[in-house]
């Protein structure tokens, strides 16, 4: 994962990458807002984490206005050359009794 981040940092963000990320964000809003629970959870997060009253339209506009330069600025400030936390989880599958190795890395 670390190597993938470094490679992406060197190559930069393409227009296709940016459109894919924006599309994924839009999809997330659509699926979150399908249920009353999802809507309530989203509004509660906004209310707890911001001083202003955000709504779906303002939040969508905020994400749609992200540029390739924004992504690279954040990458260079918070990811590039920084230490990371890597965890390894070995849960036992209750059906098979075998361990399944799962690795997660927080850049």
């Amino acid at each position: 994962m670390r190597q993938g981040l470094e490679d992406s940092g060197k190559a930069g963000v393409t227009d296709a990458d940016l459109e894919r990320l924006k599309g994924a964000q839009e999809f997330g809003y659509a699926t979150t807002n399908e249920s009353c629970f999802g809507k309530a959870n989203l509004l509660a997060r906004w209310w707890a984490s911001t001083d202003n009253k955000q709504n779906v339209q303002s939040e969508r506009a905020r994400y749609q206005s992200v540029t390739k330069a924004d992504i690279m600025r954040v990458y260079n400030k918070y990811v590039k050359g920084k230490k990371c936390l890597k965890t390894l989880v070995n849960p036992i599958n209750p059906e098979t009794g075998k361990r399944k190795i799962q690795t997660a890395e927080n850049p």
Side-chain angles (χ1 to χ4, degrees):
M1 182 171 199
R2 172 59 68 182
Q3 187 62 45
L5 284 171
E6 289 175 9
D7 291 346
S8 295
K10 291 175 187 172
V13 179
T14 66
D15 290 332
D17 293 335
L18 186 59
E19 289 307 311
R20 187 176 64 248
L21 291 170
K22 288 180 179 182
Q25 188 66 34
E26 286 289 319
F27 180 76
Y29 280 124
T31 57
T32 296
N33 291 320
E34 286 179 346
S35 69
C36 289
F37 176 77
K39 290 175 188 173
N41 189 19
L42 185 64
L43 291 171
R45 277 194 321 226
W46 285 341
W47 188 263
S49 63
T50 64
D51 291 334
N52 60 359
K53 293 179 179 155
Q54 296 183 352
N55 57 42
V56 172
Q57 289 79 17
S58 65
E59 189 72 355
R60 286 177 63 206
R62 193 168 69 91
Y63 276 97
Q64 290 301 315
S65 69
V66 170
T67 65
K68 294 186 291 185
D70 293 331
I71 293 172
M72 292 309 297
R73 177 181 45 79
V74 170
Y75 169 81
N76 287 323
K77 183 173 183 178
Y78 297 106
V79 178
K80 184 178 180 181
K82 305 291 189 219
K83 294 182 180 180
C84 70
L85 172 67
K86 184 174 183 177
T87 59
L88 180 63
V89 180
N90 295 323
I92 296 175
N93 183 327
E95 295 175 4
T96 64
K98 296 181 179 179
R99 291 197 177 273
K100 180 179 179 183
I101 297 175
Q102 298 174 337
T103 302
E105 188 171 335
N106 182 356

